[in-house]
Amino acid sequence: MGNGDQVSPIFALMGNDIARAAEVAAGLDTAAWHALDRQAGQHRLRPLLHSRAAQGAWAVPPDLARQWQASHLRSARRALDQKAALAKIGKSFARGGVAAAVLKGGAFVWSGAIDAAVRPMRDLDLLVKPADADAAAALLAALGYVIDPRSRPSDKHLPAMTDGKAVVELHLHIFDKHDDAGARREQAFIERAWQRAIPAQMPGMQMFCPTDTLLHVILHAVLDHQFNNGPLLLVDMPALAAAGTIDWVLLWQEAETLGVTRACQLALMMGQSMCGMAVDWQGHPPLHLGERELEQVMRLMLVDTTYRSATGWPAQLLRLAPHRWPAQVAAMVRRRSDGGAITPAGEPGLGAALSYAVGAEGRARIADAVRLSLWLRRG
């Protein structure tokens, strides 16, 4: 774990193979445990690791065991606050005639397929139709929500709003769009997903069907983030598949329509190989995937969150037409050019980002992200 290229032991501890986890845990020294804990803290994995360790097959240093237990308790309380917030919002939106679909984790963490505490959510993502956006924001304001001062501008959602206990993002889009054709594909998918939407656990709320939710979480992780939003994807995919309600024919049809078959193959191969997730490949077996690609993904999943946008920007440029590169680079520079080491948005300043990007670890992660982007474009 020290040279930046080895696969972190955190994946073995996350997995369902208890014997393998015990073997890996027994080989960790104090420095390795604390490096692993730093990764776990950055990527919201402490509650999950507490849950795995509580099964008793492998031991954790006492100081970390206490931290992980406390993190699990905080996560459980936060999930209860978020569930209560969704219930209130659902009632308010129903009275106001606003349709909203709960996206990503909020669509399944309270379904019974998973302990909500082991899948922490930073915020609640709600998809609303553009015509309802102002009304939805007004209804949130009436419930005591205000603009979150930490919120960053986004092409996908309105500024985040918070009541001090829960943070809500009102989404108008669900995928990053890099050209007009991509925007049209996304809009057509959203329209189809609305038609397949089902009632959520909270009255007044809808959710994408499990198949569309699985597709969304995969594309959010693989294409929007190059996997750098962390290993919780390896929790989300099995949880969605465990209920047995994935329409695999539909998933692969949508993947082909959206031109994202390779992204789905890569993510689902990770789920199958690391979590024992049952995947119906429907004639799309990932024969071109090897250990190199899977290890590359694992490294990207654990990119230092402080610098993940600094390492991901070259791969993002590769998804754009070359004539759009100058504007994208200019936007990146503006976000980081306040002169400080850390910008108000929480990103490293320009100097700090460049310093990291030219260092050994930064160069290695940039290379991983670029290779992934190029691999996804092939075939």
Side-chain angles (χ1 to χ4, degrees), residues 248-257 260-262 264-266 268-269 279-289:
W248 292 102
V249 173
L250 173 63
L251 184 136
W252 293 112
Q253 286 176 346
E254 285 289 2
E256 290 178 352
T257 299
V260 295
T261 300
R262 277 204 159 201
C264 291
Q265 287 174 322
L266 183 52
L268 291 169
M269 187 63 183
V279 178
D280 184 344
W281 295 103
Q282 286 288 319
H284 298 82
L287 300 176
H288 43 280
L289 274 170

Side-chain angles (χ1 to χ4, degrees), residues 1-6 35 361:
M1 197 161 58
N3 66 9
D5 286 325
Q6 295 176 345
E361 182 178 342

Side-chain angles (χ1 to χ4, degrees), residues 20-45:
R20 174 62 180 155
E23 177 186 356
V24 169
L28 299 179
D29 59 18
T30 299
W33 273 113
H34 284 276
L36 183 149
D37 176 62
R38 182 174 182 273
Q39 292 176 329
Q42 283 198 331
H43 294 283
R44 297 174 286 164
L45 297 174

Side-chain angles (χ1 to χ4, degrees), residues 7 78 96 110 114 138 173 181 187 223 232 243 274 316 332 334 374 379:
V7 172
R78 187 175 189 181
W110 297 290
I114 187 174
H173 299 282
Q187 185 56 44
L223 300 183
L232 282 176
M274 299 191 65
Q316 288 285 357
M332 181 197 73
R334 281 197 302 272
L374 293 173

Side-chain angles (χ1 to χ4, degrees), residues 78 122-123 145-153 158-169:
R78 187 175 189 181
R122 296 189 181 96
D123 48 45
Y145 285 79
V146 297
I147 300 295
D148 189 334
R150 300 165 298 179
S151 178
R152 290 177 49 189
L158 302 183
M161 301 181 72
T162 181
D163 66 348
K165 288 188 175 182
V167 177
V168 177
E169 288 182 351

Side-chain angles (χ1 to χ4, degrees), residues 193-216:
W194 272 118
Q195 292 173 2
R196 295 189 288 258
I198 60 177
Q201 284 77 28
M202 286 69 182
M205 286 286 172
Q206 293 177 279
M207 57 181 278
F208 283 0
C209 73
T211 304
D212 289 335
T213 297
L214 176 59
L215 184 61
H216 181 209

Side-chain angles (χ1 to χ4, degrees), residues 285-296:
L287 300 176
H288 43 280
L289 274 170
E291 285 195 13
R292 176 184 177 183
E293 286 81 16
L294 300 184
E295 290 180 0
Q296 179 179 295

Side-chain angles (χ1 to χ4, degrees), residues 9 31 58 96 118 120 169 177 212 326:
W58 46 276
V118 307
E169 288 182 351
K177 303 173 296 300
D212 289 335

